[in-house]
Amino acid sequence: MCTAIRLKGQNTYFGRNLDLNASFGEQVVLTPRNYPFSFTDGERSDSHYAILGMATIAKGYPLYADAFNERGLAMAGLNYPGNARYFERVEGRSNVSPFELIPYLLTKFSSVDEARPFLEHLNLVDVPFAPQIPLAPLHWIIADKERSIVLESNSDGLRVYDDPYDVLTNNPSFPFHRENIKRYRMLSNQEGEGRIAEGIDLKPFSVGFGSMFLPGDYTSPSRFVKAFYLVHHAVFDEESDAEARRAFFRILDSVSFPKGSVHNPDGSFETTIYSSCMNLDRRTYCYKTEANASLTMVQMEDSSLDGQELRGSPLRREEDVVLQTLSPVTKG
């Protein structure tokens, strides 16, 4: 399970919770402009936009879960089991495997508007990275400083949807979430009047009555609604990158999986392995992990973008605790 969001302020922020039952060897990886990509359809790219994001490296290849490029286009793949369908190659279409979709798009396009015409001719092919690394059933959210879209490959073919909610979770398909959210149209961050009959005092006894019945469970439809509500009611100092980032992670925290909250049929526990936040204007990637709640930031530096070799770093998983000492309190 996963949740991805886009938050707009003076800068644009994009990121996600990655919820799984185990780590997959992820690390923050920079793919420089001259790293040689060879794609499934035989196309080769030796010069392209640089990419920074979360990936596992297999045989020297970055398998990205989420990332952004130097022009501010970002993507994340989210679990979509039972619905995702991939196909055989089709002559005359752009045949791309799901494992390479994030680098394929992020190396080529600078914006959603630029990428969208290409997506209309895309065919996601059932070609795994390697026999021992099968394809994950995914759908994707693609975002930039202006908007978000969703890409799904179902049994009836590939679909592209506008995403004005700036949120994506998991099953069911995006059209379901688009209809389901209408059930919560009366939610508000204000109290509301609450009248049943005239002359009866029904004043709220607590704050938050306007958000009564906002879902709080861990299903993907509920996380979609809750994340949408919080994204579109978020208040923060738009000139402060730190405050915007805190608001972003608070939203992700509200839909995260504490270990033990969801017990899978195989006996494992669904857990938020990491949470990420990308500043698409300042070109930074910030993350925290299930074991280390302190934030770690990686900057996409211009001086490091022209190489050919991948650059990466294992996640900082050890807990960072600052010991604060107490001083005598001055009277007065």
Side-chain angles (χ1 to χ4, degrees), residues 168-180:
L168 185 63
T169 55
N170 310 102
N171 295 334
S173 63
F174 187 74
F176 171 90
H177 292 294
R178 192 171 54 191
E179 292 301 309
N180 180 63

Side-chain angles (χ1 to χ4, degrees), residues 294-314:
S294 298
L295 300 184
T296 301
M297 181 181 291
V298 178
Q299 175 77 49
M300 182 183 275
E301 302 283 357
D302 288 330
S303 60
S304 65
L305 300 188
D306 289 322
Q308 293 182 315
E309 296 183 350
L310 299 176
R311 301 179 65 181
S313 178

Side-chain angles (χ1 to χ4, degrees), residues 65-303:
D66 53 79
F68 70 99
N69 69 18
E70 60 184 286
R71 297 298 297 274
L73 182 64
M75 286 185 67
L78 284 73
N79 202 25
Y80 192 47
N83 286 326
R85 294 290 183 274
Y86 310 132
F87 303 93
E88 296 182 354
R89 288 181 172 88
V90 176
E91 195 68 30
R93 298 183 73 86
S94 298
N95 296 291
V96 180
S97 175
F99 78 79
E100 63 189 359
L101 182 61
I102 289 179
Y104 193 95
L105 294 180
L106 295 188
T107 55
K108 293 175 179 293
F109 302 111
S110 63
S111 68
V112 169
D113 286 346
E114 191 177 307
R116 186 154 189 167
F118 170 83
L119 299 177
E120 303 297 336
H121 303 282
L122 176 65
N123 178 46
L124 290 178
V125 294
D126 191 9
V127 178
F129 175 77
Q132 68 274 24
I133 306 178
L135 293 175
L138 301 175
H139 59 176
W140 294 264
I141 180 171
I142 308 171
D144 62 14
K145 301 168 189 178
E146 303 299 328
R147 62 185 54 82
S148 304
I149 60 174
V150 169
L151 179 68
E152 295 182 340
S153 185
N154 304 310
S155 58
D156 60 348
L158 189 138
R159 298 287 182 268
V160 182
Y161 305 100
D162 291 323
D163 183 2
Y165 318 101
D166 289 326
V167 173
L168 185 63
T169 55
N170 310 102
N171 295 334
S173 63
F174 187 74
F176 171 90
H177 292 294
R178 192 171 54 191
E179 292 301 309
N180 180 63
I181 205 163
K182 296 176 182 177
R183 300 174 57 227
Y184 300 92
R185 60 189 300 270
M186 300 306 293
L187 292 176
S188 170
N189 62 352
Q190 301 180 38
E191 282 185 0
E193 301 242 347
R195 292 181 181 173
I196 297 176
E198 292 294 335
I200 298 178
D201 183 7
L202 294 176
K203 291 180 180 179
F205 50 78
S206 166
V207 298
F209 265 67
S211 63
M212 178 126 3
F213 307 118
L214 178 68
D217 61 79
Y218 295 100
T219 63
S220 53
S222 292
R223 284 183 285 111
F224 190 104
V225 173
K226 189 172 185 180
F228 167 70
Y229 173 87
L230 294 173
V231 164
H232 289 269
H233 286 304
V235 176
F236 53 92
D237 180 357
E238 294 191 6
E239 295 184 359
S240 170
D241 181 50
E243 187 171 331
R245 194 167 54 245
R246 284 195 295 271
F248 192 96
F249 277 111
R250 287 285 181 89
I251 295 170
L252 289 182
D253 287 343
S254 74
V255 289
S256 67
F257 285 72
K259 192 170 185 178
S261 58
V262 174
H263 196 185
N264 294 317
D266 63 2
S268 64
F269 292 98
E270 201 79 4
T271 307
T272 300
I273 302 297
Y274 72 84
S275 302
S276 64
C277 175
M278 311 168 209
N279 185 322
L280 302 186
D281 297 87
R282 298 191 180 187
R283 303 191 303 177
T284 60
Y285 189 98
C286 195
Y287 72 89
K288 62 180 182 177
T289 68
E290 188 267 339
N292 183 7
S294 298
L295 300 184
T296 301
M297 181 181 291
V298 178
Q299 175 77 49
M300 182 183 275
E301 302 283 357
D302 288 330
S303 60

